[in-house]
């Protein structure tokens, strides 16, 4: 099941809703918006680290969905098509701001190290000063390591890790093969482990 589908009373698939919207059913658009709004917003927030920018990108994507609704081919899954629009919207936004090489999130923390990142805390539950400094230093190292990866590897890792997409879905979104996606993710993590050795 693609992200956005649910088991509510409205059991129509994303594809069925999109077909209905193409025929002028604006309630179908509203349902698609409700299904994807939260996930897409979080997706943009992970990439940009800026709530206002994430919201702007969210609205831009749904505006493009509205304008391009007649271009959707119901023979294909909705989610990869929709996230291709989101991906291109993000890419074009950063090209305009000359910041495309910096779009990759500043908040990436490897899941297997989350517990270590918390470290000892004060009685009020807040991190102690030494741990705060260490966490900031580790974050800087992760940011630096991410920016050293080829853009295609960073993108594949983030789509998989934070977008929740399978290799096949990422291949559809990035217009590449499943084998290529697997290779990019494997090489990206291999490089990250080498770059972060001793820090994470």
């Amino acid at each position: 099941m693609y992200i956005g589908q649910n088991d509510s009373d409205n059991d129509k698939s994303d594809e069925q809703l999109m077909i209905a919207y193409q025929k002028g059913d604006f309630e179908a658009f509203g349902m698609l918006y409700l299904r994807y709004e939260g996930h897409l917003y979080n997706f943009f927030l992970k990439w940009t680290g800026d709530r206002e920018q994430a919201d702007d990108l969210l609205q831009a994507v749904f505006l493009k969905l509205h304008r391009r609704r007649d271009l959707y081919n119901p023979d294909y899954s909705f989610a990869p098509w929709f996230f291709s629009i989101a991906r291109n919207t993000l890419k074009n936004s950063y090209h305009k701001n000359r910041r495309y090489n910096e779009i990759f999130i500043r908040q990436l923390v490897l899941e297997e190290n989350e517990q270590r990142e918390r470290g000892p805390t004060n009685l009020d539950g807040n991190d102690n000063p030494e741990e705060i400094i260490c966490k900031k230093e580790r974050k800087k190292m992760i940011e630096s390591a991410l920016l050293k990866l080829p853009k295609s590897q960073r993108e594949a890792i983030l789509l998989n890790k934070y977008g929740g997409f399978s290799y096949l879905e990422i291949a559809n979104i990035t217009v590449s093969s499943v084998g290529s996606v697997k290779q990019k993710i494997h090489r990206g993590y291999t490089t990250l482990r080498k770059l972060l050795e001793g820090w994470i």
Side-chain angles (χ1 to χ4, degrees), residues 111 113-121 125-128 131-132 135 138:
E111 290 178 357
N113 296 291
E114 287 182 350
Q115 184 61 43
R116 178 181 173 182
E117 291 251 341
R118 294 190 186 98
T121 58
N126 297 321
D127 293 325
N128 63 44
E131 185 62 20
I132 291 174
K135 287 173 69 174
R138 283 196 290 269

Side-chain angles (χ1 to χ4, degrees), residues 44-84:
F44 284 139
L45 184 60
K46 290 287 187 181
W47 284 59
T48 66
D50 185 282
R51 293 182 180 279
E52 183 176 351
Q53 188 174 13
D55 187 63
D56 288 344
L57 288 167
L58 174 71
Q59 302 309 318
V61 170
F62 278 102
L63 178 60
K64 289 182 179 180
L65 172 65
H66 169 70
R67 291 175 175 173
R68 300 178 184 180
R69 61 191 182 279
D70 293 332
L71 298 178
Y72 173 67
N73 185 341
D75 291 334
Y76 297 95
S77 297
F78 173 79
W81 178 79
F82 180 66
F83 271 86
S84 292

Side-chain angles (χ1 to χ4, degrees), residues 100-176:
Y100 184 59
N101 288 330
E102 299 174 2
I103 69 176
F104 300 98
I105 60 171
R106 295 183 173 86
Q107 300 174 1
L108 179 65
V109 177
L110 301 178
E111 290 178 357
E112 58 270 26
N113 296 291
E114 287 182 350
Q115 184 61 43
R116 178 181 173 182
E117 291 251 341
R118 294 190 186 98
T121 58
N122 294 326
L123 293 178
D124 61 0
N126 297 321
D127 293 325
N128 63 44
E130 289 185 7
E131 185 62 20
I132 291 174
I133 294 173
C134 290
K135 287 173 69 174
K136 288 182 177 180
E137 288 300 316
R138 283 196 290 269
K139 269 193 173 184
K140 289 180 181 179
M141 291 301 298
I142 291 173
E143 292 168 18
S144 177
L146 280 170
L147 291 174
K148 291 178 181 178
L149 293 180
K151 290 194 290 288
S152 61
Q153 291 180 14
R154 295 197 296 261
E155 182 175 53
I157 287 174
L158 293 175
L159 284 170
N160 179 250
K161 185 177 178 67
Y162 287 106
F165 290 100
S166 67
Y167 292 153
L168 177 59
E169 291 166 338
I170 296 173
N172 289 333
I173 292 170
T174 60
V175 192
S176 59

Side-chain angles (χ1 to χ4, degrees), residues 110 141 144-146 148-149 153 186-200:
L110 301 178
M141 291 301 298
S144 177
L146 280 170
K148 291 178 181 178
L149 293 180
Q153 291 180 14
H186 175 72
R187 289 182 175 177
Y189 276 125
T190 298
T191 301
L192 282 175
R193 283 194 292 269
K194 291 180 180 178
L195 291 172
L196 296 171
E197 186 175 2
W199 281 91
I200 298 299

